[in-house]
Amino acid sequence: MTATGSLPASLHDALEKVLGSGGLLTASSDMAPYLTDWRNLFHGRACAVARPANTQTCAEVVRLCAEHGVPVVPQGGNTSMVGGATPDATGHALVLVTSRMNRVREIDPIDNTMVVEAGVTLKAAQDAATNAGLMLPLSISSEGSAEIGGVLATNAGGNNTVRYGNARELVLGLEAVLPDGQVLNLMRRLRKDNTGYALRQLFVGSEGTLGLITTAILQLQPKPKSIEAALCAVADAKTALALFAAFRNTEPSAIQAFEFMSGLSMNLVNTLIPEAALPLSEPAPAYVLVELASPRGGDALRELMEEVLGKAFEDGLVSDAVLAESEAQRLALWKLREEHAEAQKRAGASVKNDVSVPLSAIPTFLDRATAACEKLIPGIRVAPFGHIGDGNIHFNLVQPEGMDGNAFLARDHEMMDTVANIVRELGGSFSAEHGVGQLKTYMMPSWRGGAELDMMHRIKNAVDPKNIMNPGKIFPAS
Ligand code: 2HG
Ligand code: ZN
């Protein structure tokens, strides 16, 4: 089977005219990078890949596709963990890549906002905000590649949600191309605007199924003048949560990130990522990376960190800790956290469970899910980590050493369902921040069935009656 599907000749000519020669890819070797996901789990086919450079061209591409009944799969940095940006195997769809729309158009220090195009990487957007003396408070492991359009379409969460909320909370304005090619302009940067449905929020978290986000106005924050990070050795998640409570009860507004890493997952990072080095005297059963930040300078934040950690040592919550003494050390601590996904990829086949439960249920969840998975597949490497301050655990399962990776992956639903059943009993969600994509569509009826899924269907049908936008994502095949 080749990667190319069939692009109707009349559509080909019309697209080439609109996009120019560099904007339309049809050779299978050119299209290949856009047809597989980061995890290498999904392999699709497409009739073409379009790379428009502005909203008008995007709109024209979508309009032409709709006219020809050709589905459109939006793609940004292609970092989805759930196959959300990979086309299906039919070869009917066109992949619309937003990476060329990569301008930070404006930063306003009075409004504390930035106007940014869909194809700007999250890292580039953060850097632009920082250079303007401000901060874009959204940080995810894939920020070097992930692009704003995808970040918003999937309502990304990440490391700073504990303080600033998910991507949804940062979106003041939005521009999107609708499935018929109309441009919906919601580019208002208003803190207060009660004029009917907040349509922009429909697109955030819609995973490209309602339209294509082309531009956004994001809420910024003051740039921190002081920032303190510490890596702490803890016994388990229960102790990590007690430490979280200690920070929260002392100065909740100072916490900028509160991350958990199991010993096993950290060990994979140390073994498989050459530049990673654990700065503690010995490995621990689990770790917390806590970061405090304040727009005020001075020593107050350092004192706060030392006060809370000092008491935590006395109370036996923390057995060892290292405080970053420089920006380079802070980044080195973050590297130990950010490389978990990459280390797990290098460790072999893995199954991801991006789940959330109420904070109080995390220790029970980890105990029960670990026991159940170890029973299911003896030798399985349970490697959880994640944003524990948000109740979001990446309960990832790495294949037993020596097992065939495909044999392990063939049992992915068994593992996902085992974990999900426990999550359900504890009142959690089967997808905390990665979305549904195509990986988890099969879970939607049992988790969101009845009136909730019915209402989602009705919205989808009203906005996209021809099912042009990102078919096969979120909704189970009917
Ligand atoms: C992270 O928190 C990302 O690093 C990736 O959400 C999580 O690999 C994963 O499961
Ligand atoms: Zn995450």
Side-chain angles (χ1 to χ4, degrees):
M1 201 194 272
T2 63
T4 26
S6 52
L7 178 62
S10 58
L11 178 58
H12 176 274
D13 295 348
L15 286 174
E16 201 163 64
K17 207 160 145 204
V18 170
L19 288 157
S21 54
L24 183 68
L25 313 178
T26 51
S28 25
S29 54
D30 292 341
M31 294 203 289
Y34 304 99
L35 304 181
T36 302
D37 65 318
W38 180 81
R39 297 178 65 192
N40 207 17
L41 284 186
F42 299 97
H43 306 277
R45 296 169 72 231
C47 64
V49 171
R51 303 180 77 248
N54 57 51
T55 301
Q56 270 327 311
T57 313
C58 268
E60 196 54 14
V61 169
V62 174
R63 191 187 64 75
L64 286 165
C65 286
E67 245 174 51
H68 288 78
V70 168
V72 174
V73 176
Q75 192 177 103
N78 201 10
T79 59
S80 173
M81 295 290 188
V82 288
T86 310
D88 67 15
T90 61
H92 293 153
L94 172 141
V95 178
L96 198 162
V97 176
T98 48
S99 307
R100 283 174 76 197
M101 300 164 58
N102 59 2
R103 281 183 313 140
V104 174
R105 287 198 201 148
E106 188 192 335
I107 295 182
D108 189 317
I110 301 289
D111 290 338
N112 255 11
T113 54
M114 88 192 301
V115 182
V116 62
E117 295 178 353
V120 176
T121 64
L122 179 53
K123 178 79 173 64
Q126 289 167 350
D127 289 349
T130 306
N131 292 340
L134 296 163
M135 174 175 72
L136 174 59
L138 187 72
S139 166
I140 60 179
S141 302
S142 56
E143 61 202 22
S145 314
E147 295 173 5
I148 292 295
V151 162
L152 299 184
T154 57
N155 185 28
N159 307 329
N160 300 148
T161 305
V162 68
R163 174 135 157 205
Y164 301 103
N166 296 299
R168 184 181 297 294
E169 272 82 33
L170 309 180
V171 181
L172 287 180
L174 202 75
E175 178 191 74
V177 173
L178 298 180
D180 61 2
Q182 274 189 82
V183 177
L184 179 66
N185 185 335
L186 308 170
M187 293 286 280
R188 302 190 283 269
R189 62 181 76 185
L190 303 173
R191 226 70 68 184
K192 290 194 166 184
D193 177 25
N194 263 347
T195 48
Y197 300 150
L199 292 181
R200 68 182 188 284
Q201 293 294 357
L202 258 187
F203 295 90
V204 183
S206 70
E207 303 189 32
T209 60
L210 297 178
L212 179 99
I213 296 171
T214 47
T215 318
I217 304 179
L218 302 179
Q219 174 75 71
L220 302 176
Q221 291 290 335
K223 183 158 110 185
K225 281 211 186 67
S226 50
I227 184 157
E228 294 290 337
L231 181 73
C232 312
V234 296
D236 50 25
K238 197 168 166 215
T239 342
L241 285 170
L243 185 61
F244 182 58
F247 278 103
R248 201 180 45 192
N249 296 341
T250 313
E251 189 58 81
S253 63
I255 307 170
Q256 177 158 279
F258 198 91
E259 300 283 309
F260 172 81
M261 292 155 278
S262 64
L264 199 148
S265 194
M266 182 68 103
N267 191 35
L268 292 178
V269 172
N270 274 303
T271 323
L272 300 171
I273 306 292
E275 320 84 73
L278 188 68
L280 300 172
S281 50
E282 56 184 51
Y287 305 86
V288 160
L289 176 54
V290 53
E291 185 163 273
L292 310 177
S294 164
R296 299 185 72 167
D299 299 331
L301 215 55
R302 181 70 174 205
E303 283 161 17
L304 173 66
M305 181 71 99
E306 287 175 352
E307 178 194 325
V308 176
L309 286 184
K311 175 90 174 44
F313 268 108
E314 277 170 27
D315 295 346
L317 298 179
V318 169
S319 57
D320 196 2
V322 58
L323 275 63
E325 298 294 347
S326 65
E327 180 61 5
Q329 279 180 19
R330 187 179 76 86
L331 295 177
L333 293 187
W334 270 107
K335 189 161 181 65
L336 287 170
R337 164 61 186 86
E338 299 291 25
E339 293 290 347
H340 283 249
E342 181 61 32
Q344 293 185 0
K345 191 174 174 184
R346 293 183 193 181
S350 64
V351 167
K352 291 185 188 296
N353 297 281
D354 162 43
V355 299
S356 57
V357 291
L359 289 196
S360 55
I362 290 175
T364 309
F365 164 69
L366 286 173
D367 288 349
R368 286 184 56 192
T370 302
C373 292
E374 285 176 348
K375 188 163 168 221
L376 191 67
I377 302 185
I380 197 169
R381 287 174 286 171
V382 178
F385 65 99
H387 319 287
I388 196 169
D390 306 318
N392 177 191
I393 298 291
H394 299 304
F395 191 79
N396 293 354
L397 303 165
V398 184
Q399 63 166 87
E401 290 193 69
M403 184 176 180
D404 174 62
N406 288 329
F408 180 74
L409 289 179
R411 300 185 64 184
D412 63 343
H413 281 198
E414 260 180 274
M415 290 179 253
M416 286 161 68
D417 293 343
T418 299
V419 173
N421 287 339
I422 298 166
V423 168
R424 191 196 294 270
E425 279 172 31
L426 296 172
S429 172
F430 69 101
S431 183
E433 60 171 9
H434 294 171
V436 179
Q438 52 185 304
L439 181 68
K440 295 186 172 178
T441 50
Y442 85 97
M443 291 182 161
M444 285 295 273
S446 70
W447 280 84
R448 299 287 177 256
E452 192 171 352
L453 189 54
D454 182 53
M455 188 160 169
M456 289 193 212
H457 268 298
R458 283 194 274 159
I459 292 170
K460 169 74 175 170
N461 290 339
V463 179
D464 185 14
K466 290 180 171 172
N467 197 17
I468 292 292
M469 294 304 304
N470 217 6
K473 314 295 159 48
I474 296 184
F475 298 96
S478 45

